[in-house]
Short mmCIF file of all heavy atoms in Angstrom, two decimals:
data_model
loop_
_atom_site.label_atom_id
_atom_site.label_comp_id
_atom_site.label_asym_id
_atom_site.label_seq_id
_atom_site.Cartn_x
_atom_site.Cartn_y
_atom_site.Cartn_z
N PHE A 1 -28.60 -15.49 -6.64
CA PHE A 1 -28.97 -16.92 -6.70
C PHE A 1 -30.47 -17.08 -6.92
O PHE A 1 -30.89 -17.95 -7.66
CB PHE A 1 -28.53 -17.68 -5.45
CG PHE A 1 -28.80 -19.13 -5.54
CD1 PHE A 1 -28.07 -19.92 -6.41
CD2 PHE A 1 -29.83 -19.72 -4.82
CE1 PHE A 1 -28.33 -21.29 -6.54
CE2 PHE A 1 -30.09 -21.08 -4.92
CZ PHE A 1 -29.35 -21.85 -5.78
N ALA A 2 -31.29 -16.22 -6.31
CA ALA A 2 -32.75 -16.29 -6.50
C ALA A 2 -33.08 -16.02 -7.98
O ALA A 2 -33.94 -16.71 -8.56
CB ALA A 2 -33.46 -15.28 -5.61
N ALA A 3 -32.41 -15.06 -8.58
CA ALA A 3 -32.62 -14.78 -10.00
C ALA A 3 -32.16 -15.95 -10.87
O ALA A 3 -32.83 -16.30 -11.85
CB ALA A 3 -31.89 -13.49 -10.39
N LEU A 4 -31.03 -16.54 -10.52
CA LEU A 4 -30.54 -17.71 -11.24
C LEU A 4 -31.54 -18.86 -11.16
O LEU A 4 -31.86 -19.49 -12.17
CB LEU A 4 -29.21 -18.15 -10.67
CG LEU A 4 -28.61 -19.45 -11.23
CD1 LEU A 4 -28.13 -19.22 -12.67
CD2 LEU A 4 -27.48 -19.92 -10.35
N ARG A 5 -32.05 -19.11 -9.97
CA ARG A 5 -33.03 -20.19 -9.79
C ARG A 5 -34.31 -19.91 -10.57
O ARG A 5 -34.85 -20.79 -11.20
CB ARG A 5 -33.33 -20.39 -8.31
CG ARG A 5 -34.27 -21.56 -8.06
CD ARG A 5 -34.49 -21.83 -6.58
NE ARG A 5 -33.37 -22.44 -5.96
CZ ARG A 5 -33.08 -23.74 -5.99
NH1 ARG A 5 -33.84 -24.54 -6.69
NH2 ARG A 5 -32.05 -24.23 -5.37
N GLU A 6 -34.77 -18.69 -10.55
CA GLU A 6 -35.99 -18.34 -11.27
C GLU A 6 -35.83 -18.55 -12.79
O GLU A 6 -36.69 -19.13 -13.44
CB GLU A 6 -36.35 -16.88 -10.99
CG GLU A 6 -37.63 -16.41 -11.64
CD GLU A 6 -37.94 -14.96 -11.31
OE1 GLU A 6 -37.67 -14.54 -10.17
OE2 GLU A 6 -38.44 -14.27 -12.21
N GLY A 7 -34.72 -18.08 -13.31
CA GLY A 7 -34.44 -18.28 -14.75
C GLY A 7 -34.29 -19.74 -15.11
O GLY A 7 -34.81 -20.19 -16.13
N SER A 8 -33.62 -20.50 -14.25
CA SER A 8 -33.41 -21.94 -14.51
C SER A 8 -34.74 -22.68 -14.49
O SER A 8 -34.97 -23.55 -15.35
CB SER A 8 -32.47 -22.52 -13.46
OG SER A 8 -31.22 -21.89 -13.53
N GLU A 9 -35.60 -22.37 -13.53
CA GLU A 9 -36.89 -23.03 -13.46
C GLU A 9 -37.76 -22.70 -14.67
O GLU A 9 -38.49 -23.55 -15.17
CB GLU A 9 -37.59 -22.67 -12.14
CG GLU A 9 -36.92 -23.33 -10.96
CD GLU A 9 -37.49 -22.87 -9.61
OE1 GLU A 9 -38.44 -22.05 -9.60
OE2 GLU A 9 -36.96 -23.32 -8.60
N ALA A 10 -37.64 -21.46 -15.18
CA ALA A 10 -38.38 -21.09 -16.39
C ALA A 10 -37.88 -21.90 -17.59
O ALA A 10 -38.68 -22.34 -18.41
CB ALA A 10 -38.23 -19.59 -16.64
N ILE A 11 -36.58 -22.13 -17.66
CA ILE A 11 -36.01 -22.93 -18.76
C ILE A 11 -36.50 -24.38 -18.66
O ILE A 11 -36.92 -24.97 -19.63
CB ILE A 11 -34.47 -22.86 -18.76
CG1 ILE A 11 -34.03 -21.45 -19.12
CG2 ILE A 11 -33.89 -23.89 -19.72
CD1 ILE A 11 -32.56 -21.19 -18.90
N VAL A 12 -36.47 -24.93 -17.44
CA VAL A 12 -36.94 -26.31 -17.24
C VAL A 12 -38.42 -26.42 -17.64
O VAL A 12 -38.80 -27.37 -18.34
CB VAL A 12 -36.72 -26.76 -15.78
CG1 VAL A 12 -37.47 -28.05 -15.48
CG2 VAL A 12 -35.23 -26.94 -15.50
N ASP A 13 -39.23 -25.46 -17.23
CA ASP A 13 -40.65 -25.48 -17.60
C ASP A 13 -40.84 -25.41 -19.10
O ASP A 13 -41.70 -26.12 -19.68
CB ASP A 13 -41.40 -24.32 -16.93
CG ASP A 13 -41.52 -24.51 -15.42
OD1 ASP A 13 -41.33 -25.63 -14.91
OD2 ASP A 13 -41.81 -23.50 -14.73
N GLU A 14 -40.06 -24.58 -19.76
CA GLU A 14 -40.15 -24.45 -21.22
C GLU A 14 -39.74 -25.76 -21.92
O GLU A 14 -40.37 -26.19 -22.89
CB GLU A 14 -39.27 -23.29 -21.69
CG GLU A 14 -39.32 -23.00 -23.15
CD GLU A 14 -40.52 -22.16 -23.54
OE1 GLU A 14 -41.19 -21.58 -22.67
OE2 GLU A 14 -40.81 -22.12 -24.75
N VAL A 15 -38.67 -26.38 -21.43
CA VAL A 15 -38.24 -27.65 -22.01
C VAL A 15 -39.35 -28.69 -21.82
O VAL A 15 -39.66 -29.44 -22.76
CB VAL A 15 -36.92 -28.15 -21.36
CG1 VAL A 15 -36.61 -29.59 -21.78
CG2 VAL A 15 -35.78 -27.24 -21.75
N LYS A 16 -39.93 -28.75 -20.63
CA LYS A 16 -41.01 -29.72 -20.38
C LYS A 16 -42.16 -29.52 -21.35
O LYS A 16 -42.79 -30.48 -21.78
CB LYS A 16 -41.50 -29.60 -18.94
CG LYS A 16 -40.55 -30.19 -17.95
CD LYS A 16 -41.09 -30.07 -16.55
CE LYS A 16 -40.12 -30.70 -15.55
NZ LYS A 16 -40.66 -30.71 -14.19
N ALA A 17 -42.45 -28.26 -21.68
CA ALA A 17 -43.57 -27.97 -22.58
C ALA A 17 -43.25 -28.33 -24.04
O ALA A 17 -44.13 -28.67 -24.79
CB ALA A 17 -43.94 -26.51 -22.48
N LYS A 18 -41.98 -28.26 -24.44
CA LYS A 18 -41.61 -28.43 -25.84
C LYS A 18 -40.97 -29.77 -26.19
O LYS A 18 -40.89 -30.11 -27.37
CB LYS A 18 -40.63 -27.34 -26.23
CG LYS A 18 -41.13 -25.95 -26.00
CD LYS A 18 -41.34 -25.25 -27.27
CE LYS A 18 -41.82 -23.82 -26.91
NZ LYS A 18 -42.49 -23.20 -27.94
N VAL A 19 -40.52 -30.53 -25.21
CA VAL A 19 -39.79 -31.77 -25.51
C VAL A 19 -40.73 -32.80 -26.12
O VAL A 19 -41.94 -32.81 -25.85
CB VAL A 19 -39.10 -32.30 -24.23
CG1 VAL A 19 -40.09 -32.90 -23.26
CG2 VAL A 19 -38.02 -33.31 -24.57
N ALA A 20 -40.16 -33.66 -26.98
CA ALA A 20 -40.95 -34.75 -27.58
C ALA A 20 -41.58 -35.60 -26.50
O ALA A 20 -40.96 -35.88 -25.49
CB ALA A 20 -40.07 -35.58 -28.48
N ARG A 21 -42.84 -36.02 -26.71
CA ARG A 21 -43.57 -36.76 -25.67
C ARG A 21 -44.01 -38.13 -26.11
O ARG A 21 -45.19 -38.41 -26.12
CB ARG A 21 -44.77 -35.95 -25.23
CG ARG A 21 -44.42 -34.71 -24.48
CD ARG A 21 -45.64 -34.22 -23.73
NE ARG A 21 -45.28 -33.13 -22.87
CZ ARG A 21 -45.03 -33.25 -21.58
NH1 ARG A 21 -45.12 -34.43 -21.01
NH2 ARG A 21 -44.69 -32.21 -20.86
N ASP A 22 -43.08 -38.99 -26.43
CA ASP A 22 -43.47 -40.37 -26.74
C ASP A 22 -43.96 -41.07 -25.47
O ASP A 22 -45.06 -41.59 -25.43
CB ASP A 22 -42.31 -41.14 -27.35
CG ASP A 22 -41.95 -40.63 -28.75
OD1 ASP A 22 -42.81 -40.00 -29.38
OD2 ASP A 22 -40.81 -40.82 -29.16
N THR A 23 -43.12 -41.06 -24.46
CA THR A 23 -43.49 -41.68 -23.19
C THR A 23 -43.68 -40.66 -22.08
O THR A 23 -44.24 -40.97 -21.03
CB THR A 23 -42.42 -42.69 -22.70
OG1 THR A 23 -41.23 -41.98 -22.44
CG2 THR A 23 -42.16 -43.76 -23.78
N GLY A 24 -43.17 -39.45 -22.27
CA GLY A 24 -43.22 -38.43 -21.25
C GLY A 24 -42.02 -38.44 -20.31
O GLY A 24 -41.89 -37.59 -19.44
N ASN A 25 -41.14 -39.41 -20.50
CA ASN A 25 -39.99 -39.54 -19.61
C ASN A 25 -39.06 -38.32 -19.70
O ASN A 25 -38.59 -37.85 -18.65
CB ASN A 25 -39.19 -40.81 -19.94
CG ASN A 25 -38.08 -41.04 -18.96
OD1 ASN A 25 -38.29 -41.08 -17.77
ND2 ASN A 25 -36.86 -41.16 -19.48
N LEU A 26 -38.79 -37.82 -20.89
CA LEU A 26 -37.88 -36.68 -21.00
C LEU A 26 -38.45 -35.45 -20.33
O LEU A 26 -37.75 -34.69 -19.69
CB LEU A 26 -37.55 -36.38 -22.47
CG LEU A 26 -36.65 -37.39 -23.16
CD1 LEU A 26 -36.40 -36.96 -24.60
CD2 LEU A 26 -35.35 -37.59 -22.42
N ALA A 27 -39.74 -35.25 -20.46
CA ALA A 27 -40.37 -34.09 -19.82
C ALA A 27 -40.29 -34.18 -18.29
O ALA A 27 -40.08 -33.20 -17.60
CB ALA A 27 -41.83 -33.96 -20.26
N GLU A 28 -40.44 -35.38 -17.79
CA GLU A 28 -40.41 -35.56 -16.33
C GLU A 28 -39.04 -35.54 -15.75
O GLU A 28 -38.85 -35.21 -14.58
CB GLU A 28 -41.11 -36.88 -15.98
CG GLU A 28 -42.59 -36.90 -16.27
CD GLU A 28 -43.33 -35.76 -15.59
OE1 GLU A 28 -43.08 -35.53 -14.39
OE2 GLU A 28 -44.13 -35.10 -16.27
N SER A 29 -38.01 -35.86 -16.54
CA SER A 29 -36.69 -36.03 -15.95
C SER A 29 -35.73 -34.87 -16.21
O SER A 29 -34.61 -34.88 -15.69
CB SER A 29 -36.05 -37.35 -16.43
OG SER A 29 -35.90 -37.33 -17.84
N VAL A 30 -36.14 -33.86 -16.97
CA VAL A 30 -35.25 -32.71 -17.14
C VAL A 30 -35.19 -31.95 -15.82
O VAL A 30 -36.20 -31.75 -15.15
CB VAL A 30 -35.72 -31.79 -18.29
CG1 VAL A 30 -37.06 -31.14 -18.02
CG2 VAL A 30 -34.66 -30.74 -18.60
N LYS A 31 -33.98 -31.58 -15.41
CA LYS A 31 -33.79 -30.94 -14.11
C LYS A 31 -32.70 -29.89 -14.18
O LYS A 31 -31.84 -29.93 -15.03
CB LYS A 31 -33.38 -31.99 -13.07
CG LYS A 31 -34.46 -32.98 -12.74
CD LYS A 31 -33.95 -33.97 -11.69
CE LYS A 31 -34.99 -34.97 -11.28
NZ LYS A 31 -35.71 -35.64 -12.31
#
C-alpha cells in the first residue's frame, strides 16, 4: 500500500504539472 500511495502521488504531481492552467482549478482538484 505504501508503494501504491507513492506511485499514485507521483502521478497526481505529474498531472498537476502538465494539466492546462486556464484557472488552475484542474491542477488543484486532481486527487
Side-chain angles (χ1 to χ4, degrees):
F1 184 71
L4 174 71
R5 184 175 285 279
E6 182 179 323
S8 299
E9 289 173 2
I11 293 169
V12 168
D13 290 343
E14 183 81 14
V15 170
K16 286 181 178 185
K18 303 248 182 201
V19 73
R21 291 198 173 261
D22 292 338
T23 65
N25 185 55
L26 289 181
E28 294 303 315
S29 62
V30 65
K31 292 180 179 49

